[in-house]
Amino acid sequence: MIVREEGVLDLLVAALPHLRGGLHEESARFTAQLLHDHLDLDAASVISTDRVLAFIGAGSDHHIVGEPNLTELTRRALRSGEVMRTQRREEIGCPNPQCVLTSAVIAPLRVRDRVIGAIKLYRVGGREISAYDENVARSLARVLSVYLEAAELDERATLATKAELEALRAQISPHFLFNTLTTIAALTRTNPERAHALIIDLADFFRDSLVDHGELISLDRELEYVERYLRFETARYGERLRVEYHIDPAMYAVPVPLLAVQVLVQNAVVHGVVPRNGAGVVVISASAKEGACEIVVSDDGVGIAPETLKRVFNRGFGSGAGIGLDNVQRRLVALFGPQHALHIESRPGRGTTAAFTAPLRS
């Protein structure tokens, strides 16, 4: 057959978005169907290293999805990582004597120098797989492999983000625990009812921190975390800490990264208001801005020195604050894109403002 370059391009345009999610049965089935329909084949298959992920066309009665790869030619291609082509049924090596497949090309899929599967093109009845067909298969496998590698990198980034989120949750616990328990202990004599309420809040806070809420949470749920955290801090600092909310009700349903606002508020309290002399104010606002939700946390605390401000997003910088801000920044960029990154402005002695935007979801 002669495959027009436009047909191959159309195939790639259709297949690549599906493979960006990785090599699994759904993406394999979609890709095999495209191969079959675009390349004038009698059968097409996509496999992993140990089983059939998809098989379309002649021979599907015994080349069954989920079962081990049958043909010897497939095993040779997977072992060697090389493209294999044959015009002989015997070289295909299917153990089923009724198999009608007579010519084939098998092009391995490689990710980070390891074979993870293959695309397989078949014809029957003596119709040949030509050298041109082999080049098409080789080129397709190369491009598909690049996208599968991108999918693996995406997955690694997601796992890393989740691991960092778990680490962030873990570091929140010891950050409050000692001070909060000390505050509760002091209140047991002067205000036992409030001490009891804080104990319940503390239990709920840590129970929630162990629940997997996913990467995103609605702003109103995130503000519940903020309010619970602030109950501990206002119990500890009393009139030294005042908090104001300016939230547009239309923004409550906007998804934000879990604990993102809480981390910003925590930094405003611990590193802004608490070190200053006298009382301080933390202001939390959310409003629509240029098609997005802008969330701002500001304080009138001690501020951040210019040389320190340049480093607050460095991984591992600071005693708690730097780690949290770095985590929030990378999650914002990964989830929403760089246009929604965290921005911090500060003037020593005048306070700090941290702001980011989240897309409005229709």
Side-chain angles (χ1 to χ4, degrees):
M1 70 157 181
I2 298 297
V3 182
R4 293 193 311 158
E5 298 300 331
E6 293 88 341
V8 176
L9 180 60
D10 290 342
L11 189 157
L12 286 171
V13 168
L16 293 182
H18 293 264
L19 286 172
R20 191 60 187 264
L23 188 63
H24 46 74
E25 287 188 9
E26 183 178 349
S27 61
R29 182 173 61 253
F30 189 88
T31 302
Q33 189 70 60
L34 286 172
L35 293 170
H36 180 270
D37 295 347
H38 280 72
L39 302 183
D40 186 31
L41 302 170
D42 295 306
S45 178
V46 178
I47 62 170
S48 67
T49 54
D50 60 352
R51 64 189 179 94
V52 178
L53 296 176
F55 195 101
I56 306 294
S60 58
D61 58 326
H62 59 282
H63 293 277
I64 298 172
V65 172
E67 294 194 357
N69 300 315
L70 289 180
T71 70
E72 177 57 31
L73 191 68
T74 296
R75 288 189 282 271
R76 284 172 51 200
L78 292 175
R79 283 196 304 266
S80 67
E82 300 296 328
V83 176
M84 299 284 176
R85 176 169 65 104
T86 184
Q87 313 299 340
R88 300 176 59 238
R89 183 186 182 284
E90 294 77 12
E91 286 188 0
I92 294 175
C94 180
N96 187 316
Q98 304 303 316
C99 187
V100 296
L101 304 175
T102 56
S103 60
V105 59
I106 301 172
L109 300 169
R110 306 177 69 97
V111 171
R112 296 167 64 88
D113 295 325
R114 74 180 191 280
V115 175
I116 64 163
I119 59 173
K120 303 165 64 175
L121 317 181
Y122 292 106
R123 293 207 178 86
V124 304
R127 292 209 307 150
E128 288 192 351
I129 295 283
S130 68
Y132 179 80
D133 298 332
E134 179 180 336
N135 286 335
V136 168
R138 190 188 306 274
S139 299
L140 286 171
R142 186 175 301 163
V143 176
L144 297 178
S145 293
V146 170
Y147 257 67
L148 289 170
E149 185 160 338
E152 183 175 284
L153 290 173
D154 284 347
E155 183 178 4
R156 286 170 179 261
T158 299
L159 291 173
T161 300
K162 287 181 178 178
E164 288 162 1
L165 184 56
E166 292 304 316
L168 179 62
R169 287 172 173 158
Q171 69 179 306
I172 286 173
S173 300
H175 185 86
F176 304 104
L177 187 56
F178 179 79
N179 290 331
T180 302
L181 289 176
T182 301
T183 301
I184 292 172
L187 286 170
T188 54
R189 294 184 179 181
T190 60
N191 193 339
E193 290 185 359
R194 190 174 187 192
H196 178 71
L198 283 175
I199 290 172
I200 294 173
D201 273 341
L202 187 63
D204 288 343
F205 185 87
F206 288 122
R207 185 181 298 113
D208 258 354
S209 74
L210 298 174
V211 174
D212 183 6
H213 296 280
E215 294 260 338
L216 293 172
I217 189 171
S218 63
L219 179 60
D220 60 340
R221 289 284 290 121
E222 174 73 2
L223 290 175
E224 290 179 17
Y225 284 111
V226 171
E227 290 169 2
R228 184 176 291 154
Y229 159 73
L230 287 171
R231 285 199 289 272
F232 304 139
E233 298 293 49
T234 53
R236 183 179 177 198
Y237 295 110
E239 294 182 356
R240 288 185 56 198
L241 174 62
R242 185 161 59 90
V243 181
E244 297 180 3
Y245 293 89
H246 303 287
I247 310 295
D248 180 345
M251 301 296 106
Y252 280 129
V254 173
V256 298
L258 178 65
L259 299 179
V261 182
Q262 195 272 340
V263 167
L264 300 183
V265 173
Q266 178 181 333
N267 275 277
V269 172
V270 175
H271 301 281
V273 171
V274 171
R276 65 166 285 166
N277 293 322
V281 181
V282 174
V283 179
I284 305 164
S285 65
S287 59
K289 180 180 179 181
E290 298 178 357
C293 172
E294 182 181 46
I295 297 166
V296 182
V297 177
S298 61
D299 65 75
D300 60 355
V302 296
I304 305 172
E307 61 273 14
T308 302
L309 188 60
K310 295 176 182 178
R311 296 185 289 156
V312 293
F313 292 133
N314 292 350
R315 186 174 300 190
F317 174 77
S319 55
I323 297 172
L325 293 177
D326 171 65
N327 181 285
V328 171
Q329 180 72 300
R330 282 182 287 122
R331 285 192 290 138
L332 281 168
V333 172
L335 291 167
F336 299 148
Q339 68 273 28
H340 296 283
L342 179 62
H343 296 280
I344 297 180
E345 297 180 358
S346 187
R347 295 174 63 187
R350 300 292 296 274
T352 301
T353 298
F356 68 88
T357 58
L360 295 175
R361 305 288 174 89
S362 56

